[in-house]
């Protein structure tokens, strides 16, 4: 279980001891959180009260802070739902409440035995339950006495978000996952291919199902797009609906979803998956070589090439491939299919798709041709082309005689070549 502001046993024992005035008794802490459904969902603004047992009247007595020398009673929980008192040895009970929720007491005759170590109604250990309610003994130290508050409020769709795989629907309450089914929804007009509880968590009170497995609740559910749907990088707007027919989606407290049928739209941006492109230079032949493969980069460097850093950032995939070809001494790269086909017809070897060009044409890669190189010649036949995102490098090469051949393809982002 998730613990909030808990401490190790030894640390707890050391930190729990406190004095409250001269001759006061050692004090120990009952502490925990107030939560709804699951421990990761603390309740803020809950009122928590501390009671002690009066043997003479066989009844609960509200603990007056000034008389008992303990922290303020009652306490109001903050965003973390935490409460804590330091009390002398004795019998104690904690109660929690908040408007809109069912109140809870660790003395509840139905569940009180589950709250606090050795909680009991047999306070004198004679085999007879003389107390009407359960009481926690201190000692032992009582940590993680976590109090569940239950809300019968009807859940609503709180928010929706989208990504490349589907849409996430968030409810205002934790739900029973088995009641939130794909058939209750449509995404872009179609039933989702599947649904998955995103943040499923075991019930905070340790409730078990009939088969003995822990009961789980979730507030977020991912609706996967219908089979065959593939969203490209960029801005998207997707409509999500939830029906009020058929099976009913229920909260952990069996409240049925309100404000149905529901229809909403979610706008989101799918980022582009990218890959860096490595740039290398052969000082002997003058050829620049480009690859996305670290293994190929390292192999080429081992063969004597100079590594010049990242040439550019390419999309991991797009509808515009850049073809890689090899003459036997020189590499050529082009996104022009007809140029690729022609080079193959005159003897260049096709080496497949080297990478992809950015469909949004974000950053141009300039292409320059060295007229002093003839790839078909038996000598001086390598390094015929250079490709760069640097306009200054492009302009310089053109100024010393390289021919400007325009834009070779496009990158997602510039690189950092040396």
């Amino acid at each position: 279980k998730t613990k909030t502001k808990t401490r190790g046993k030894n640390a707890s024992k050391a930190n729990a001891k406190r004095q409250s005035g001269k001759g006061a008794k050692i004090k120990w802490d009952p502490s925990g959180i107030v939560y709804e459904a699951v421990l990761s969902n603390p309740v803020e603004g809950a009122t928590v009260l501390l009671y002690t047992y009066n043997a003479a009247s066989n009844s609960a007595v509200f603990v007056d802070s000034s008389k008992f020398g303990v922290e303020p009673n009652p306490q109001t929980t903050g965003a973390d739902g935490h409460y804590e008192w330091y009390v002398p040895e004795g019998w104690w009970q904690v109660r929690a409440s908040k408007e809109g929720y069912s109140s809870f007491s660790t003395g509840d005759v139905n569940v009180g035995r589950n709250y606090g170590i050795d909680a009991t109604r047999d306070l004198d250990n004679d085999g007879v339950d003389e107390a009407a309610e359960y009481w926690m003994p201190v000692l032992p130290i009582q940590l993680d006495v976590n109090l569940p508050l239950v809300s019968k409020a009807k859940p609503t769709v709180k928010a929706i978000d989208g990504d490349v795989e589907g849409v996430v629907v968030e409810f205002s309450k934790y739900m029973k996952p088995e009641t939130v089914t794909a058939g209750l929804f449509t995404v872009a007009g179609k039933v989702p291919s599947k649904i998955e509880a995103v943040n499923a968590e075991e019930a905070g009170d340790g409730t078990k199902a009939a088969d003995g497995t822990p009961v789980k609740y979730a507030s977020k559910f991912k609706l996967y797009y219908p089979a065959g749907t593939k969203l490209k990088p960029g801005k998207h707007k997707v409509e999500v609906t939830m029906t009020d027919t058929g099976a009913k989606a229920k909260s952990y407290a069996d409240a049925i979803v309100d404000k149905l049928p529901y229809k909403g739209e979610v706008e989101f941006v799918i980022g582009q998956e990218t890959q860096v492109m490595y740039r290398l230079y052969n000082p002997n032949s003058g050829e620049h070589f480009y690859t996305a493969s670290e293994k190929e980069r390292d192999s080429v460097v081992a063969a004597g090439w100079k590594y010049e850093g990242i040439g550019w950032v390419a999309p991991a995939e797009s509808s515009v491939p850049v073809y890689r070809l090899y003459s036997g001494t020189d590499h050529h790269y082009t996104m022009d299919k007809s140029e690729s086909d022609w080079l193959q017809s005159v003897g260049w070897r096709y080496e497949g798709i080297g990478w992809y060009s950015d469909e949004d044409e974000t950053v141009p890669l300039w292409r320059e041709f060295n007229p002093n190189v003839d790839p078909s010649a038996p000598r001086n036949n390598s390094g015929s082309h250079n490709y760069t995102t640097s306009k200054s490098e492009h302009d310089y090469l053109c100024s010393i005689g390289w021919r400007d051949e325009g834009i070779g393809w496009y990158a997602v982002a510039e690189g950092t070549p040396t």
Side-chain angles (χ1 to χ4, degrees):
K1 293 184 180 179
T2 301
K3 297 185 178 180
T4 304
K5 286 193 175 181
T6 58
R7 302 179 287 243
K9 185 174 182 181
N10 292 333
S12 298
K13 197 165 185 178
N15 294 332
K17 294 181 178 181
R18 298 191 0 171
Q19 298 290 338
S20 179
K22 186 177 180 180
K25 295 180 179 179
I26 293 175
K27 296 186 177 182
W28 315 86
D29 56 335
S31 64
I33 63 168
V34 181
Y35 69 93
E36 181 181 4
V38 296
L39 293 179
S40 66
N41 187 33
V43 176
E44 182 176 8
T47 300
V48 190
L49 303 99
L50 178 67
Y51 287 81
T52 191
Y53 177 71
N54 184 296
S57 61
N58 189 21
S59 62
V61 176
F62 177 77
V63 175
D64 186 319
S65 301
S66 60
K67 292 180 180 180
F68 282 80
V70 300
E71 287 72 16
N73 184 33
Q75 295 183 8
T76 301
T77 57
D80 61 359
H82 186 73
Y83 74 88
E84 182 174 64
W85 283 282
Y86 288 82
V87 300
E89 293 182 31
W91 296 98
W92 305 91
Q93 192 181 101
V94 183
R95 302 176 185 179
S97 63
K98 182 180 180 179
E99 186 176 354
Y101 293 80
S102 300
S103 299
F104 179 81
S105 170
T106 59
D108 188 301
V109 294
N110 295 309
V111 296
R113 66 174 63 87
N114 301 321
Y115 292 86
I117 301 170
D118 298 331
T120 183
R121 294 166 61 194
D122 179 10
L123 307 189
D124 57 8
N125 199 30
D126 64 356
V128 178
D129 291 339
E130 60 272 10
E133 300 176 301
Y134 279 91
W135 292 90
M136 296 183 293
V138 173
L139 293 172
I141 300 172
Q142 301 286 359
L143 302 177
D144 293 326
V145 184
N146 301 317
L147 314 178
L149 290 186
V150 176
S151 170
K152 289 290 187 179
K154 291 185 176 182
T156 58
V157 175
K158 179 180 177 181
I160 52 176
D161 196 10
D163 61 26
V164 69
E165 295 179 321
V167 174
V168 174
V169 175
E170 181 179 4
F171 291 94
S172 60
K173 296 292 182 184
Y174 272 74
M175 309 291 290
K176 291 183 173 180
E178 65 273 15
T179 70
V180 184
T181 59
L184 295 173
F185 300 90
T186 65
V187 178
K190 296 182 180 180
V191 175
S193 59
K194 68 174 181 177
I195 188 169
E196 182 177 87
V198 175
N199 62 340
E201 184 179 337
E202 291 184 15
D205 62 2
T207 301
K208 296 289 193 297
D211 62 0
T213 59
V215 167
K216 294 184 178 183
Y217 303 125
S219 63
K220 296 180 180 180
F221 295 83
K222 187 160 191 174
L223 314 175
Y224 286 84
Y225 297 125
T229 302
K230 187 174 183 180
L231 300 186
K232 295 182 178 180
K235 294 181 179 179
H236 295 273
K237 182 185 289 186
V238 176
E239 182 181 87
V240 178
T241 69
M242 184 176 182
T243 69
D244 59 352
T245 59
K248 303 294 184 183
K250 297 179 180 180
S251 75
Y252 70 96
D254 286 326
I256 295 173
V257 176
D258 198 11
K259 298 181 180 178
L260 294 179
Y262 167 85
K263 181 167 72 173
E265 283 187 338
V266 57
E267 295 186 26
F268 56 95
V269 175
I270 294 177
Q272 198 166 38
E273 291 188 26
T274 61
Q275 61 184 11
V276 295
M277 298 300 306
Y278 304 111
R279 169 172 157 161
L280 302 105
Y281 176 67
N282 188 330
N284 299 312
S285 68
E287 180 187 0
H288 274 99
F289 179 69
Y290 314 90
T291 179
S293 167
E294 291 183 14
K295 183 177 180 180
E296 187 173 35
R297 176 201 64 188
D298 295 343
S299 174
V300 170
V301 169
W305 291 60
K306 179 184 176 183
Y307 175 55
E308 292 190 335
I310 296 173
W312 70 94
V313 180
E317 188 177 356
S318 79
S319 62
V320 187
V322 176
Y323 307 107
R324 170 173 148 172
L325 302 105
Y326 184 57
S327 68
T329 57
D330 193 24
H331 278 92
H332 186 68
Y333 316 93
T334 179
M335 63 178 181
D336 185 338
K337 183 67 164 57
S338 60
E339 182 180 29
S340 171
D341 291 343
W342 180 79
L343 287 173
Q344 291 177 66
S345 71
V346 295
W348 288 62
R349 184 173 75 228
Y350 177 61
E351 293 189 336
I353 294 173
W355 52 85
Y356 292 88
S357 178
D358 178 31
E359 295 176 12
D360 294 331
E361 301 184 352
T362 306
V363 178
L365 266 98
W366 307 98
R367 167 173 155 170
E368 306 90 21
F369 174 71
N370 186 344
N372 299 313
V373 174
D374 179 4
S376 63
R379 309 178 81 179
N380 190 30
N381 59 4
S382 183
S384 60
H385 283 86
N386 184 67
Y387 307 87
T388 180
T389 60
S390 170
K391 189 65 164 59
S392 58
E393 181 183 19
H394 170 74
D395 291 343
Y396 170 73
L397 289 175
C398 291
S399 72
I400 60 173
W402 289 61
R403 189 165 70 220
D404 181 357
E405 292 192 340
I407 295 172
W409 56 85
Y410 293 90
V412 172
E414 296 184 21
T416 54
T418 58

